[in-house]
Amino acid sequence: MNYDQKKVLVVGMARSGVAAAQLLRASGAVVTVNDSKPESELGDQLKPLDGLKLERHFGCGAMDLLEGQDCLVISPGIPDSAPFVRKAREMGIYVIGELELASQLSRGTLIAVSGTNGKTTTVSLLGEIFRNSGKMTHVVGNIGYPYALASLVSRNKDVIVCEVSSFQMETADTFHPHVALLTNITEDHLNRHGTMEVYTAMKMRMFQNQTPNDFAVFNADDPGLNGLPSQVRSRVLRFSRLKEVKEGAFVRDGKIFFRMGQTERKICGTDEVYIPGPHNLENALGAVCVAGAMEVPASVIRHSLKTFRGVEHRIETVRELDGVTYINDSKGTNVDSTIKAVQTMSQPTVIILGGYDKHTSFDPLSQEIVRSPMIRHAVLIGETAGLIQHSLEKAGFNHFSHAETLREAVENGRNLAARGWNVLLSPACASFDMFRDYEERGRVFKEIVNGLK
């Protein structure tokens, strides 16, 4: 796509919007930037735009800025059903998101990873694998580093590993990964998408432009993906920790294997994968599939699985104090993710739950807590505290208490936990009722824990 001298309106000045504006100016576009917040509230996040020739409109809506625009680039936080977005389409304006824009203007081989859970761990692991193989690698997308920034510097021989959200796929058009991986699908973001059918359709848009020369990777153990591989045109690889697959990655006798065509390679033992838990074994198997499709040597994959330490805010040990281990799983932003954290616990645990309401059911989590021999008490916080309490009571779990703040929740957890226990933050909810994002929530949790005397 050629944006030279095209008039482009970029709406939403968070990281992705600022990066989109930078990339568009570098591509010769005539750029207008807009955010409903006043410039004084946006602060330092606008600094990368200093010195760039831009028309700026802050503290106002975008509706009155559409006239004369060739293209509208919207933030992932803006639904494509927003009135000004619908108006733009009615006016014949090309509407895309930063991810789509970046994919049009970048160079290199694109790897995409999506799913309800496991995305960040899998893309981070893949970044390690490809770097260890000697490739210049950019890990981008929903992980927090905008794809547009990588597009400014990418080269043909580079590898782009992109974490893709369902929000970003609403505005996907030509997005075309050579290898695309779907980790799993469980109930999430229904406050945005409305139904599981729409949510699943957004995830599947990642494969829409693939050809038989590309690869689609699916989790064979996830019932939410049943029937989806038949919808793609690319070559399908599967991964499973429970059974052998025809082509892809699987476990046999405690060892990870990758099979494609007539070739089968042993990668390593499952006990050699550093990151713990059955969900992380699934993430590792998915990464093995992608790396195998890209012909990365087995020795490089093995070394990466043995040395990769995981990602911040995902079942991250913060410290041990008075025999109690404090674990930060702030990235547990939905029910299924927190279920996986619960299943990973091997010591008695006080769990901190609650946050922003995404209109999903907490019943599967409550049932898992009842089944778990390790969850001894739940401290409930945030907007969803009452909903979670009702769900726990319905499941027959009555060992819970409430806290007004995260600090109070940590202090309650400390008072409840005995030596040899865990205090686990895994909220099963987004953070927007109390924090800017899960990263801020995780950082605050770690600050509180590290400040305990």
Side-chain angles (χ1 to χ4, degrees):
M1 188 72 69
N2 184 1
Y3 287 91
D4 188 39
Q5 296 307 305
K6 290 287 191 295
K7 293 182 179 180
V8 184
L9 172 62
V10 182
V11 179
M13 286 293 101
R15 283 175 289 197
S16 65
V18 169
Q22 292 175 267
L23 178 59
L24 284 161
R25 280 301 299 137
S27 303
V30 179
V31 180
T32 300
V33 294
N34 165 254
D35 198 288
S36 59
K37 294 179 181 177
E39 189 167 358
S40 59
E41 286 187 24
L42 296 169
D44 290 346
Q45 63 197 60
L46 295 177
K47 279 193 172 181
L49 302 182
D50 288 351
L52 293 184
K53 185 179 179 182
L54 301 163
E55 188 173 327
R56 300 167 184 240
H57 294 270
F58 300 122
C60 62
M63 188 71 81
D64 294 336
L65 304 175
L66 296 174
E67 193 65 42
Q69 301 293 339
D70 298 304
C71 178
L72 169 65
V73 179
I74 59 174
S75 159
I78 298 170
D80 64 355
S81 59
F84 80 90
V85 177
R86 292 202 306 266
K87 180 65 174 177
R89 289 200 168 102
E90 290 170 7
M91 296 169 65
I93 297 171
Y94 183 45
V95 179
I96 56 173
E98 176 264 340
L99 198 77
E100 169 66 26
L101 172 73
S103 72
Q104 293 175 4
L105 297 175
S106 71
R107 293 171 291 175
T109 301
L110 175 60
I111 311 295
V113 178
S114 195
T116 305
N117 296 303
K119 299 185 296 295
T120 300
T121 298
T122 304
V123 297
S124 300
L125 173 55
L126 283 168
E128 286 291 295
I129 291 172
F130 287 115
R131 290 188 193 104
N132 289 339
S133 74
K135 293 282 189 182
M136 175 61 73
T137 305
H138 311 269
V139 178
V140 303
N142 197 52
I143 195 169
Y145 181 68
Y147 190 178
L149 292 183
S151 298
L152 287 167
V153 297
S154 61
R155 301 171 300 177
N156 290 333
K157 292 183 178 180
D158 294 358
V159 173
I160 312 288
V161 183
C162 183
E163 179 179 327
V164 177
S165 75
S166 58
F167 293 3
Q168 291 166 322
M169 285 294 97
E170 287 180 343
T171 49
D173 179 24
T174 65
F175 187 78
H176 181 176
H178 176 52
V179 186
L181 162 64
L182 191 55
T183 59
N184 46 60
I185 293 182
T186 57
E187 193 175 273
D188 199 15
H189 297 303
L190 298 190
N191 58 325
R192 170 81 166 243
H193 298 302
T195 67
M196 280 296 293
E197 289 75 18
V198 173
Y199 176 53
T200 301
M202 290 303 104
K203 293 293 188 186
M204 289 300 291
R205 291 191 74 174
M206 180 174 62
F207 303 99
Q208 67 183 351
N209 295 312
Q210 285 194 310
T211 73
N213 295 321
D214 301 312
F215 294 90
V217 181
F218 292 92
N219 183 350
D221 297 338
D222 188 346
L225 307 190
N226 287 347
L228 298 183
S230 64
Q231 298 178 20
V232 305
R233 291 177 292 168
S234 42
R235 184 173 180 177
V236 172
L237 301 177
R238 293 176 171 85
F239 61 94
S240 171
R241 62 183 177 86
L242 303 176
K243 57 182 178 288
E244 291 195 21
V245 296
K246 184 177 180 182
E247 283 199 310
F250 58 92
V251 175
R252 181 202 297 143
D253 298 329
K255 303 288 191 296
I256 294 174
F257 291 85
F258 176 72
R259 180 193 293 153
M260 193 166 73
Q262 303 302 312
T263 304
E264 182 177 293
R265 293 185 286 168
K266 185 176 79 172
I267 305 300
C268 66
T270 57
D271 58 350
E272 296 179 86
V273 179
Y274 185 87
I275 48 179
H279 64 292
N280 276 324
L281 178 55
E282 289 183 6
N283 296 334
L285 289 164
V288 168
C289 269
V290 174
M294 292 286 290
E295 300 181 351
V296 176
S299 59
V300 173
I301 303 173
R302 180 184 310 115
H303 171 75
S304 303
L305 294 180
K306 291 169 68 174
T307 58
F308 177 66
R309 294 298 193 259
V311 298
E312 188 180 15
H313 310 302
R314 188 65 177 123
I315 315 184
E316 173 195 15
T317 297
V318 179
R319 73 181 291 198
E320 183 180 315
L321 176 65
D322 298 331
V324 176
T325 301
Y326 293 82
I327 301 171
N328 169 29
D329 190 46
S330 182
K331 205 170 189 317
T333 58
N334 58 62
V335 164
D336 191 61
S337 182
T338 296
I339 286 174
K340 289 177 167 58
V342 167
Q343 292 170 343
T344 303
M345 295 300 103
S346 58
Q347 300 177 159
T349 299
V350 177
I351 187 169
I352 300 172
L353 296 168
Y356 177 75
D357 186 6
K358 293 196 284 185
H359 299 171
T360 57
S361 171
F362 294 103
D363 291 351
L365 173 59
S366 298
Q367 291 156 14
E368 185 64 36
I369 286 173
V370 169
R371 284 193 296 268
S372 171
M374 296 303 167
I375 304 301
R376 304 298 173 84
H377 192 94
V379 180
L380 311 180
I381 61 172
E383 185 177 288
T384 58
L387 294 171
I388 297 173
Q389 174 181 331
H390 176 72
S391 178
L392 289 171
E393 288 176 327
K394 189 167 62 172
F397 186 88
N398 296 300
H399 302 289
F400 57 79
S401 57
H402 288 257
E404 291 298 316
T405 65
L406 183 56
R407 179 176 296 278
E408 183 183 338
V410 172
E411 290 169 350
N412 288 358
R414 182 184 190 182
N415 292 332
L416 289 159
R419 182 173 292 275
W421 285 38
N422 299 323
V423 173
L424 167 69
L425 171 68
S426 188
C429 301
S431 57
F432 309 129
D433 59 333
M434 299 171 76
F435 301 97
R436 183 174 64 250
D437 51 32
Y438 77 83
E439 292 168 309
E440 183 186 44
R441 178 171 62 190
R443 285 194 297 270
V444 171
F445 176 76
K446 292 198 288 186
E447 288 169 6
I448 294 168
V449 167
N450 286 320
L452 295 174
K453 303 298 184 184

